Amino acid sequence: MENPMFNKNIISKALLVSAVILPFSNVASAAVTLKLAYAENSQPVKDALQYIGKAVAEKTNGEVKIQYFPDAQLGGERELVEMTQVGVVDITKVSSGLMESFAPVYGVFSLPYLFTNQEQFYKVMSDKDVMDPVYNSTASMGFTGVGWYDSGARSFYMSKGPINTIADLKGKKIRVMQSETSIKTMQLLGASPIAMSQSEVYTSLQQGIIDGAENNEFAMTIARHGEVAKYYSYDEHTRIPDIILMSNSTKNKLTPEQFKVLNEAIQESMVMEQEAWKAEMDKTRELAKIEFGVKFNTVDHGPFQKAVQPIYDDLKKKPELYSLYQKIINIK
């Protein structure tokens, strides 16, 4: 297992957080201020995270407050995980794709065509037998998972024509995340994967450096990729959830009742986010069609699933991941 190194900026970030929190030091001893930091996110996620603070403050009569550091004020997702490890940040939200480098078991969510549909995905993510071992896989590192948010399904979007069959991907240059599984998936589908940051995708599509990319529908509107890629094809090759993380040290700051309230607020925020996500996706699709002229189509997943079978054959060499995979596919 990879041993993530702390970013050299963590100490300076810690001093920044301490300086911001200092004005609260004269609050009565019963009061606690927790720090919640996150990188840039969709509106459903932002609203859900804000709900946690409101609910906790209300249910504890102001004894527990949450101070927010939004939109990557303290750094990117890796930095936020590292700050949560050492207790500088109490709560954060990151992609489970990133979490694979901290605990390999999270890699199961990057497997292609793992979930049949959104309904099965929700059932799996709500199953304690599946998720508790995943959440607790980082307990020895100073933090654990305490919940999840929907971040949609990743599908292909292209600049010069839709993906209708697997043959349409042959030789196409597709932007992917820096993920071994993502790269292997594209290769098995006949595409040429190109790993690059999200910030480079728009100009790369515009200049023809890449033929397409893969992401959820928000990429077409929020990132305005619909201006340079007019074809969105629903193959839904991955559903990579967001994971809510909490520092182990946070529990020591709270009474048992306060900690219970915090956990309840997080669970309530999950339900809120899932409902808001569905509604926002409907609005996003319509906006992409009307404002950018994006055309949406669905594809037969069967041939795509068959093409990536070697990934699952190799999974048998990783007993922990394969066992988790078996649990997931048995949930219908």
Side-chain angles (χ1 to χ4, degrees):
M1 180 175 67
E2 180 182 345
N3 180 22
M5 299 295 293
F6 291 129
N7 188 291
K8 63 182 180 180
N9 292 324
I10 292 299
I11 294 178
S12 61
K13 296 287 188 182
L15 292 173
L16 169 63
V17 175
S18 298
V20 175
I21 294 298
L22 190 60
F24 291 91
S25 60
N26 293 325
V27 178
S29 58
V32 178
T33 298
L34 304 179
K35 290 128 344 197
L36 191 160
Y38 58 90
E40 293 182 15
N41 282 297
S42 64
Q43 199 59 48
V45 170
K46 290 183 178 182
D47 290 345
L49 292 172
Q50 289 293 325
Y51 172 84
I52 296 173
K54 293 176 183 177
V56 168
E58 180 179 332
K59 293 178 181 180
T60 63
N61 295 318
E63 289 184 355
V64 180
K65 297 179 180 179
I66 292 181
Q67 187 170 19
Y68 289 88
F69 298 86
D71 301 326
Q73 285 183 11
L74 301 183
E77 290 195 339
R78 176 170 289 279
E79 288 178 294
L80 295 177
V81 175
E82 293 169 349
M83 295 179 81
T84 304
Q85 280 186 273
V86 297
V88 173
V89 166
D90 291 286
I91 304 167
T92 190
K93 192 284 316 170
V94 300
S95 170
S96 64
L98 169 70
M99 289 304 299
E100 185 176 353
S101 64
F102 290 85
V105 69
Y106 275 100
V108 74
F109 298 118
S110 295
L111 293 172
Y113 308 103
L114 175 66
F115 299 105
T116 305
N117 50 40
Q118 187 183 63
E119 181 182 4
Q120 187 220 6
F121 170 63
Y122 279 20
K123 286 181 180 179
V124 168
M125 297 303 298
S126 301
D127 191 299
K128 291 179 65 67
D129 288 339
V130 171
M131 292 307 300
D132 281 357
V134 176
Y135 288 151
N136 292 325
S137 64
T138 58
S140 63
M141 301 178 196
F143 66 99
T144 57
V146 291
W148 65 280
Y149 289 152
D150 192 355
S151 66
R154 300 181 76 92
S155 290
F156 294 108
Y157 55 95
M158 311 294 290
S159 60
K160 296 179 181 177
I163 300 301
N164 289 308
T165 70
I166 195 170
D168 295 325
L169 279 169
K170 187 173 182 180
K172 295 294 192 302
K173 299 185 291 294
I174 305 295
R175 180 267 173 178
V176 297
M177 298 181 291
Q178 186 61 57
S179 158
E180 181 181 343
T181 303
S182 296
I183 291 170
K184 182 66 173 177
T185 295
M186 293 304 121
Q187 291 172 336
L188 290 171
L189 292 175
S192 298
I194 297 179
M196 66 172 62
S197 70
Q198 179 72 357
S199 63
E200 297 176 86
V201 175
Y202 185 101
T203 54
S204 296
L205 284 165
Q206 190 177 45
Q207 297 171 9
I209 296 171
I210 57 175
D211 300 300
E214 46 87 49
N215 209 325
N216 63 49
E217 297 94 318
F218 275 130
M220 310 309 288
T221 56
I222 294 177
R224 304 187 72 84
H225 292 176
E227 292 180 342
V228 289
K230 303 295 184 183
Y231 305 92
Y232 191 98
S233 303
Y234 283 107
D235 78 301
E236 300 177 317
H237 46 271
T238 51
R239 292 181 181 273
I240 301 177
D242 285 342
I243 303 297
I244 307 167
L245 304 175
M246 185 184 298
S247 176
N248 291 355
S249 64
T250 301
K251 189 173 184 178
N252 298 329
K253 301 176 184 179
L254 305 172
T255 67
E257 182 57 33
Q258 289 171 341
F259 190 72
K260 179 182 177 183
V261 167
L262 175 60
N263 272 318
E264 287 176 350
I266 290 171
Q267 298 303 308
E268 290 166 3
S269 81
M270 288 162 51
V271 175
M272 172 185 171
E273 191 272 346
Q274 290 155 29
E275 293 175 351
W277 184 273
K278 294 175 184 177
E280 198 66 27
M281 280 297 99
D282 290 340
K283 289 165 53 178
T284 296
R285 275 189 294 272
E286 288 307 305
L287 179 61
K289 291 176 184 177
I290 295 169
E291 185 170 339
F292 301 110
V294 176
K295 296 179 180 179
F296 292 86
N297 69 288
T298 58
V299 302
D300 177 5
H301 294 182
F304 292 77
Q305 291 172 311
K306 185 177 180 180
V308 301
Q309 185 57 42
I311 289 177
Y312 289 95
D313 294 338
D314 289 343
L315 197 65
K316 295 176 182 178
K317 302 173 186 176
K318 303 174 182 178
E320 183 181 18
L321 273 178
Y322 191 72
S323 174
L324 183 57
Y325 160 70
Q326 290 290 322
K327 285 183 181 179
I328 288 173
I329 62 174
N330 285 324
I331 296 175
K332 306 297 183 182

